[in-house]
Amino acid sequence: MDSPDECDNQIWDMTSHILKDLLKDVPAVLYSSLGVSIASVILEINGKKQIVAIGTGNSCLSRNQQSTLQHNLIFDSHSVTIVRRALKVFLFEEVHKFHNEQLSENSIFTKSKKHDLLHLKENVKFHIFMSRSPDILLVKKTGLHVYSEGGDTFMSTSVAKKYMMICKNRNVVMTDDSKLLQWSVIGWQGALLSHFIAPIYMSSCTVGYHSKRHVPNISTCFAMADDSINQDLPEGFRYFEPETRKFLMKEYNDQIPFETRTLSVNWYDKQKNVEIIEGSSGEISFCSPHKCISERSRLCKASLFQIFRNVAEKMGRFDLLQGRTYRNSKIASSSYMQSKTLLHHYFSANGMGTWINRSEDIDKFT
């Protein structure tokens, strides 16, 4: 059941303050960002909270790019997906910190007595904040859905499979609510980080709303699964339903300029600059304060794979460097991949639809 909203304005104030500070030199993007969906991840240590990752955006690629460099693109620029990727970079840095003798005491991780994986210290929690509810929850539809047409529309996965057969090269991505449900079982850390750490779950999920006529019920999203799946999952993985909250927040603007409506902003802790992505192309925008020498996003698959390999090398985990491709490194994370497969079977068996994955060819890069 959703909790009262009185205590959550502070999180919104913290999130918007960071965005305003980082985007003060790009006012058009700031105005747009405060009007689109915003997601932030909050780290809580001994009751003290701080923002460690932010993502904004409502768009995705409308067409699959016919390119050998698809791993350099961001296919889904919706805020929840972007903030999860930003969180991954933060977690990689914390893993590296743990293995640095001078910094390990300040890491959020500790060594498990049961296995070689790191896990969060007892006084550490993560929370997810979203300024808007996933659209699908406002129309009270259940089951798995995808976004299509650049994120402007959504449809059930059964309809999407027929749509993709008729409309070749169209890009679809799973909706925010579907992803939130999946991450409540397999964790937010992804396959690569699962080589180093136990699953990361959100202790709470807070959603903002802008009209008392349209109050979101985010708990509906997580209610589509239950702990009956736990008996089949590998050790460490489980269904974890976060505490859900909602709060009435100010609508900054209801008309986003056309030229900035597909932009997506990302930031994670200790970064001086935000990165701005053009969601319709999946590439860094010309107005982005942060630009990589490689000219690709710091959150694309290729960038995350490079971070993974760098951390593995610094830790002396040369066994993880033997999987030369991104795909091989994911497959080697056997417990995570097994959990993901079991969950997708669970969705199908319970009449929720089929999870639509992107082509495996995209992951076959070095």
Side-chain angles (χ1 to χ4, degrees), residues 82-195:
I82 293 299
V83 80
R84 179 185 181 237
R85 290 192 172 214
L87 173 64
K88 286 181 181 181
V89 181
F90 172 78
L91 292 173
F92 271 122
E93 293 180 348
E94 287 294 314
V95 169
H96 180 245
K97 183 189 295 185
F98 177 84
H99 290 278
N100 183 318
E101 291 184 3
Q102 297 178 332
L103 301 174
S104 59
E105 187 175 336
N106 295 323
S107 172
I108 63 174
F109 291 114
T110 186
K111 196 68 176 290
S112 172
K113 296 180 180 179
K114 296 181 179 180
H115 46 67
D116 293 332
L117 297 177
L118 303 180
H119 64 85
L120 294 178
K121 294 177 178 177
E122 289 186 3
N123 61 339
V124 175
K125 297 178 182 178
F126 281 105
H127 309 271
I128 178 70
F129 162 85
M130 297 180 289
S131 65
R132 294 173 181 267
S133 169
D135 292 336
I136 196 71
L137 298 182
L138 296 177
V139 295
K140 296 180 173 59
K141 290 184 177 293
T142 58
L144 302 178
H145 292 78
V146 299
Y147 292 120
S148 62
E149 300 301 328
D152 290 336
T153 61
F154 55 81
M155 63 184 76
S156 68
T157 55
S158 58
V159 173
K161 293 175 72 174
K162 299 175 183 177
Y163 168 81
M164 294 168 67
M165 292 178 61
I166 298 172
C167 302
K168 303 295 183 182
N169 297 325
R170 286 292 183 180
N171 178 51
V172 299
V173 296
M174 300 301 296
T175 53
D176 295 345
D177 62 299
S178 298
K179 290 185 175 183
L180 288 169
L181 176 60
Q182 172 167 265
W183 300 334
S184 71
V185 176
I186 63 176
W188 284 64
Q189 74 291 335
L192 299 184
L193 272 161
S194 292
H195 286 288

Side-chain angles (χ1 to χ4, degrees), residues 14-28:
M14 293 165 61
T15 302
S16 60
H17 175 77
I18 293 174
L19 280 175
K20 289 174 182 177
D21 182 56
L22 294 170
L23 291 170
K24 60 180 180 293
D25 296 328
V26 199

